[in-house]
């Protein structure tokens, strides 16, 4: 089983690996028909400075700068404890063919109302399912848009109350699970969670219904029935699935998918600005090296 990305160096390694894999896929017969010219342009190295949400290299620089500014702010504010929050609302799931039309502004409004006046920064992302049998019409490629966030300036009692309120009002995408999930982390572990939040889609998810055996009291026959709950397993995303996920991401930028509030807004602004500057500088350096090589 693959280990989750938990460091900037691992993010760097995995992003470059998946970039190479997807470039090879694009050269195949299937890939040539799965990747639009618009997406192909956004995936190019020269497009990284645009911070398109589909670009693998953009995510490395953004994660690096977000981590730096976040850790600096937490240290200056003497924040030692945070919460890693995941929100997955059934209302934000849809067929993969429709996923590029996701209403990000509506999602941000919901996230803001859910987390009230807390400080947070995080990323919206799509989870890819080859099929989602747990929802009507889900026997086809499906996307569940959700968000991962780092939240601070709130205690356990307060976040537990927010969790209870949210789970009472909204339905999770996967029956039997909850919309609002959180875990306590320390400042020392922030880097790992920033890397995890900023990664490109690397997994595809498969759902299996939980079943149980019951006895027919009149005949004594043992019957297998579905419980209504589902088990989720994930594996490395296939390139055809990644093509669908990246197509859904292509209309968005990292800026449009990065959610923030309170101190998080300042952190987001600084990270976006410094990532753009860094990627432009890298492009200038490459152009200069190429010019020197041509001129001899």
């Amino acid at each position: 089983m693959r280990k989750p990305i938990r460091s900037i160096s691992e993010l760097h390694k995995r992003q470059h690996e998946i970039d190479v894999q997807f470039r090879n896929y694009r050269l195949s017969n299937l890939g040539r028909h799965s990747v639009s010219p618009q997406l192909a342009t956004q995936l190019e190295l020269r497009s990284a400075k645009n911070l398109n949400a589909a670009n693998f290299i953009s995510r490395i620089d953004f994660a690096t700068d977000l981590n730096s500014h976040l850790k600096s702010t937490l240290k200056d504010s003497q924040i030692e404890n945070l919460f890693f929050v995941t929100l997955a609302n059934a209302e934000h799931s849809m067929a993969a063919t429709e996923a590029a039309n996701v209403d990000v502004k509506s999602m941000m409004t919901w996230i803001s109302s859910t987390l009230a006046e807390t400080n947070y920064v995080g990323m919206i992302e799509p989870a890819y399912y080859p099929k989602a049998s747990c929802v009507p019409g889900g026997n086809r490629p499906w996307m569940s848009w959700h968000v991962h966030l780092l939240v601070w300036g709130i205690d356990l009692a307060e976040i537990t109350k927010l969790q209870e309120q949210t789970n009472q009002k909204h339905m999770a995408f996967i029956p039997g699970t909850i919309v609002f999930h959180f875990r306590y982390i320390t400042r020392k572990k922030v880097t790992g969670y920033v890397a995890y939040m900023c990664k490109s889609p690397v997994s595809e998810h498969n759902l299996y219904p939980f079943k149980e055996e019951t006895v027919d009291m009149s005949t004594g026959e043992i019957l297998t029935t579905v419980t209504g709950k589902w088990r989720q397993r994930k594996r490395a995303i296939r390139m055809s699935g990644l093509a669908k996920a990246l197509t859904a991401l292509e209309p968005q930028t990292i800026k449009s998918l990065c959610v923030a509030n309170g101190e998080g807004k300042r952190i987001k602004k600084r990270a976006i600005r410094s990532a753009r500057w860094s990627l432009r500088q890298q492009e200038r350096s490459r152009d200069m090296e190429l010019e020197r090589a041509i001129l001899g």
Side-chain angles (χ1 to χ4, degrees):
M1 181 180 292
R2 294 176 307 111
K3 294 182 179 179
I5 295 172
R6 282 289 186 264
S7 69
I8 298 298
S9 60
E10 181 64 17
L11 175 69
H12 191 283
K13 177 175 178 288
R14 296 273 287 276
Q15 290 291 115
H16 278 289
E17 287 176 348
I18 201 167
D19 188 13
V20 172
Q21 291 171 13
F22 197 70
R23 285 178 184 275
N24 291 335
Y25 169 77
R26 286 165 55 190
L27 296 175
S28 69
N29 289 331
L30 180 60
R32 283 196 290 269
H33 295 290
S34 302
V35 179
S36 69
Q38 294 86 354
L39 175 57
T41 297
Q42 294 297 352
L43 289 172
E44 292 301 324
L45 181 59
R46 294 189 69 86
S47 296
K49 63 181 181 297
N50 299 330
L51 295 185
N52 184 272
N55 190 283
F56 302 109
I57 308 306
S58 294
R59 288 177 175 266
I60 296 172
D61 277 70
F62 176 69
T64 302
D65 291 323
L66 179 63
N67 180 59
S68 176
H69 292 297
L70 176 58
K71 289 181 68 175
S72 176
T73 297
L74 295 175
K75 183 178 180 180
D76 291 345
S77 301
Q78 298 184 328
I79 301 294
E80 297 293 336
N81 305 318
L82 303 89
F83 295 99
F84 181 67
V85 174
T86 299
L87 301 174
N89 190 334
E91 295 178 5
H92 303 138
S93 70
M94 60 199 66
T97 52
E98 303 168 1
N101 299 318
V102 62
D103 189 344
V104 172
K105 289 185 178 180
S106 176
M107 281 192 70
M108 285 194 168
T109 299
W110 177 72
I111 293 165
S112 177
S113 64
T114 299
L115 292 174
E117 298 302 317
T118 58
N119 301 294
Y120 60 79
V121 64
M123 288 292 295
I124 295 172
E125 67 173 25
Y128 174 70
Y129 293 78
K131 64 178 182 178
S133 304
C134 63
V135 298
N139 286 316
R140 50 180 169 155
W142 207 261
M143 301 278 186
S144 173
W145 288 92
H146 59 286
V147 64
H148 297 299
L149 311 107
L150 287 163
V151 182
W152 66 98
I154 186 172
D155 61 28
L156 179 60
E158 291 171 319
I159 200 167
T160 299
K161 183 177 180 181
L162 292 178
Q163 181 190 50
E164 291 173 349
Q165 292 173 343
T166 303
N167 291 333
Q168 288 173 359
K169 292 179 181 178
H170 302 282
M171 182 180 298
F173 165 59
I174 302 174
T177 62
I178 58 177
V179 175
F180 189 129
H181 179 272
F182 73 85
R183 68 176 61 175
Y184 165 86
I185 66 169
T186 62
R187 191 175 76 199
K188 291 181 180 180
K189 295 185 177 181
V190 161
T191 297
Y193 286 95
V194 169
Y196 182 80
M197 291 191 312
C198 292
K199 69 186 186 308
S200 298
V202 296
S203 300
E204 63 181 42
H205 307 263
N206 292 281
L207 297 172
Y208 303 90
F210 276 109
K211 298 179 180 180
E212 63 182 6
E213 291 185 344
T214 58
V215 178
D216 187 316
M217 300 306 294
S218 60
T219 65
E221 182 182 2
I222 298 177
L223 305 173
T224 300
T225 59
V226 177
T227 65
K229 294 184 179 180
W230 297 76
R231 178 175 66 254
Q232 177 172 252
R233 291 179 180 173
K234 63 182 179 180
R235 64 186 179 193
I237 194 167
R238 296 177 180 178
M239 292 299 101
S240 57
L242 181 58
K244 294 180 177 67
L246 294 177
T247 297
L249 285 167
E250 187 272 327
Q252 306 296 333
T253 63
I254 288 175
K255 180 179 180 180
S256 69
L257 295 183
C258 182
V259 295
N261 191 56
E263 281 295 306
K265 288 184 177 180
R266 181 169 59 88
I267 294 167
K268 171 185 173 179
K269 183 177 181 180
R270 289 181 173 180
I272 292 288
R273 184 171 56 203
S274 55
R276 280 178 177 156
W277 183 87
S278 174
L279 288 164
R280 286 169 180 163
Q281 291 297 108
Q282 291 174 41
E283 183 179 61
R284 291 192 186 99
S285 296
R286 290 194 301 270
D287 288 345
M288 290 174 65
E289 288 181 12
L290 180 60
E291 184 178 352
R292 283 195 294 267
I294 292 173
L295 296 176

